[in-house]
Amino acid sequence: MSSRAERINRVHQALQQADVVFEARQLQDNTATSLLAAQALDCRVAQIAKTIVFRCKQDNTAVVAVLCGDDRVDTAKLATLAGGAVGKADADFVKQQCGFEIGGVAPLAYPQPLTVFLENRLRRFDTIWAAAGSAYAVFGIAPDILQHASGAPFADFSAPCAQ
């Protein structure tokens, strides 16, 4: 497993290679959850672009869902997009497929091509904040710029969490 600095650098390099504008921040506080990240960044929980990895049951590949921190994944919608049923991915699967640890999974910069979807509701915001390879590093970016950098399509796969 690569070091935290190497994982963060991999994310920054992917963003720089895409020639996009982003704001990188190293934080003292752990941002492994959307609530912790929002508190550390003094923003709305919805502005946190949480990245959740699922396992496609059909072919045992990763399906990555990036959505607002106050939403949950509708797995039936995600399965339709992915072309097969999806289930939870354990920590080892996430590390193997994405090269990141849960709590610091970035929405791009994976060691191999993965199926990634960005939730349409991210577009409500001018800036969203995503993990940058560590629970202590984030980057701020416009949703359409993230789409450009990641190559992931926008889709509808969330279900708002009960408030």
Side-chain angles (χ1 to χ4, degrees):
M1 186 62 164
S2 58
S3 73
R4 181 189 326 183
E6 290 169 333
R7 292 188 306 270
I8 293 167
N9 188 50
R10 192 170 79 228
V11 173
H12 291 180
Q13 284 183 342
L15 291 164
Q16 290 165 349
Q17 286 175 355
D19 198 27
V20 299
V21 176
F22 67 98
E23 179 183 347
R25 288 197 194 170
Q26 295 277 343
L27 302 169
Q28 297 299 315
D29 298 321
N30 183 314
T31 61
T33 69
S34 297
L35 180 59
L36 290 173
Q39 290 170 341
L41 293 163
D42 194 27
C43 70
R44 295 174 50 192
V45 173
Q47 287 179 267
I48 303 304
K50 66 182 175 184
T51 303
I52 304 174
V53 181
F54 292 85
R55 183 189 299 251
C56 183
K57 294 179 181 181
Q58 180 177 317
D59 59 6
N60 203 37
T61 59
V63 176
V64 181
V66 183
L67 66 161
C68 294
D70 63 348
D71 288 343
R72 64 179 177 79
V73 174
D74 181 323
T75 54
K77 289 180 182 178
L78 187 61
T80 298
L81 292 168
V86 296
K88 289 189 175 189
D90 64 24
D92 289 337
F93 182 82
V94 172
K95 282 184 202 175
Q96 175 199 32
Q97 295 289 306
C98 300
F100 301 115
E101 296 178 6
I102 292 174
V105 179
L108 73 168
Y110 307 121
Q112 71 265 340
L114 297 178
T115 301
V116 182
F117 298 102
L118 303 174
E119 168 55 49
N120 279 320
R121 289 172 47 84
L122 291 167
R123 291 174 143 170
R124 297 180 290 161
F125 303 104
D126 293 333
T127 300
I128 54 175
W129 294 91
S134 162
Y136 295 89
V138 296
F139 66 95
I141 195 166
D144 288 337
I145 303 295
L146 177 59
Q147 191 281 325
H148 168 76
S150 68
F154 280 103
D156 175 24
F157 59 83
S158 74
C161 290
Q163 298 296 321

